[in-house]
Amino acid sequence: MHLLLLADTHVPRRAKDLPAVVWQHIDAADTVVHAGDWVDVSLLDAISARARLIGCHGNNDGAELRSRLPAVARAELGGLRFAVVHETGGAAGRDQRMAAAYPDIDVLVFGHSHIPWDTTTATGLRLLNPGSPTDRRRQPFCTFMTLDVAAGRLHDVVLHQVER
């Protein structure tokens, strides 16, 4: 199962649309996982029309997005238990906080910071933040992630840089 991880797309505030390379990955994905800050429901509808979608709302998402998306989304994908949440708090102590908050999860996808993140906690919880494909903030590049899931394992976790 091939997954595309997105967060903090902020369309149309930070960009009028997703970069073409992201749309190509959406079309190639079995499932798109989006960790919030969509900003406009039209992007949710556009991605949903092209791919299976698992997502949550973020702090910049209004009432319509909040009515359609949970604060925490959960799904089993390829034999792994995933949770998707927008905010996890500061980087210091994140591994321990999230391991305690999600003891029944194998992979936690999150956003908010626009800073890519890939760690595994002492309990085995994998924490993934794909960054943002449209707003790099203090990062050198805009980013997103892809990965494959098979037989209860993650494979080929790749952080992609979006060329401008």
Side-chain angles (χ1 to χ4, degrees):
M1 175 178 286
H2 185 66
L3 306 183
L4 168 63
L5 308 185
L6 297 172
D8 300 290
T9 47
H10 295 272
V11 171
R13 286 191 200 149
R14 300 283 190 239
K16 291 179 183 176
D17 195 3
L18 294 177
V21 67
V22 175
W23 284 114
Q24 291 167 0
H25 280 274
I26 289 169
D27 290 337
D30 295 309
T31 302
V32 175
V33 178
H34 193 301
D37 272 5
W38 305 76
V39 177
D40 191 280
V41 73
S42 63
L43 183 61
L44 171 65
D45 291 338
I47 292 174
S48 295
R50 292 169 84 155
R52 177 181 181 210
L53 176 65
I54 298 165
C56 65
H57 65 73
N59 61 299
N60 284 293
D61 296 329
E64 188 173 2
L65 284 161
R66 288 173 183 264
S67 73
R68 293 177 58 184
L69 295 165
V72 180
R74 295 172 183 262
E76 185 171 320
L77 302 168
L80 291 176
R81 299 162 298 173
F82 280 75
V84 186
V85 63
H86 186 62
E87 296 186 53
T88 60
R94 178 179 287 135
D95 287 8
Q96 295 80 10
R97 284 192 319 276
M98 294 305 102
Y102 298 96
D104 59 337
I105 295 298
D106 300 306
V107 181
L108 179 66
V109 179
F110 67 100
H112 188 61
S113 67
H114 299 219
I115 299 170
W117 189 277
D118 182 353
T119 59
T120 302
T121 70
T123 64
L125 173 66
R126 185 80 173 258
L127 301 173
L128 298 172
N129 183 331
S132 171
T134 57
D135 183 14
R136 66 182 178 88
R137 285 197 184 160
R138 296 170 298 280
Q139 300 304 300
F141 295 95
C142 291
T143 58
F144 62 94
M145 282 182 177
T146 58
L147 58 91
D148 293 318
V149 183
R153 294 189 173 271
L154 295 183
H155 303 276
D156 302 320
V157 177
V158 178
L159 180 67
H160 299 267
Q161 296 178 353
V162 177
E163 299 299 325
R164 294 239 167 201

